[in-house]
């Protein structure tokens, strides 16, 4: 039986980073009272989760049978600009994440499962029937629609606070510049 870190609803659920642009470590952090959980994950996972939460809320908002009040933007009281809470101790590294809408409670449900090597499937194994291993622990967060929009708002600001993209090739530009493939190897500087 896995250990379930359940927050229904959390007082705070945010994505945040530690470190400087180009060397940041990303976290999901949930808090309820004195209980604080930090889960490490990749930048792309934060981006995908925020995008999918936003899309799911839009789908629910457009659904004819929907009776829930879904804000189009993050409510003012749900905008969170505070840093991650200390101490940041990684509970586990995120692997698979699931997302759903619970009609009965009108909440977004996010489940985060730990990364495991056993979950990696090679191309040769695609036709095999594989059994997913039982996770040791799970982060389960249930958010109101307003809190979910607040999560998306903050995640987008966190993602945008990294290195700027090169206007030519789209790759990140370090403060000292980068070798741009579109400029035949000439070093491009931060456009700011």
């Amino acid at each position: 039986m896995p250990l379930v870190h359940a927050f229904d609803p959390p007082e705070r659920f945010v994505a945040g980073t530690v470190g400087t642009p180009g060397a940041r470590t990303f976290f999901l952090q949930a808090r309820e009272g004195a209980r604080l959980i930090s889960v490490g994950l990749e930048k792309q996972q934060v981006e995908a989760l925020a995008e999918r939460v936003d899309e799911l809320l839009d789908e629910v908002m457009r659904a004819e049978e929907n009776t829930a009040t879904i804000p189009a933007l993050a409510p003012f009281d749900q905008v969170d600009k505070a840093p991650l809470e200390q101490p940041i101790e990684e509970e586990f590294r995120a692997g698979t994440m699931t997302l759903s809408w619970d009609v009965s409670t009108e909440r977004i449900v996010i489940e985060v499962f730990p990364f495991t090597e056993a979950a990696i499937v090679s191309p040769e194994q695609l036709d095999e029937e594989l059994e997913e291993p039982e996770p040791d622990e799970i982060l389960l967060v249930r958010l109101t629609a307003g809190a979910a929009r607040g999560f998306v708002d903050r995640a987008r600001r966190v993602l945008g606070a990294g290195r700027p993209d090169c206007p030519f090739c789209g790759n990140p530009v370090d403060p000292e510049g980068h070798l741009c493939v579109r400029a035949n190897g000439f070093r491009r500087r931060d456009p700011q």
Side-chain angles (χ1 to χ4, degrees), residues 140-157:
L140 172 64
V141 180
R142 300 172 67 82
L143 299 171
T144 63
R149 290 284 192 203
F151 171 81
V152 171
D153 176 75
R154 179 188 170 104
R156 287 183 174 149
R157 280 187 282 106

Side-chain angles (χ1 to χ4, degrees), residues 82-108:
L84 290 175
E85 296 183 44
Q86 301 294 326
I88 300 171
E89 297 172 0
E90 185 176 296
E91 192 69 32
F92 61 85
R93 194 95 190 133
T96 305
M97 294 185 281
T98 65
L99 181 64
S100 62
W101 174 255
D102 184 340
V103 176
S104 64
T105 61
E106 297 182 346
R107 298 224 194 297
I108 287 268

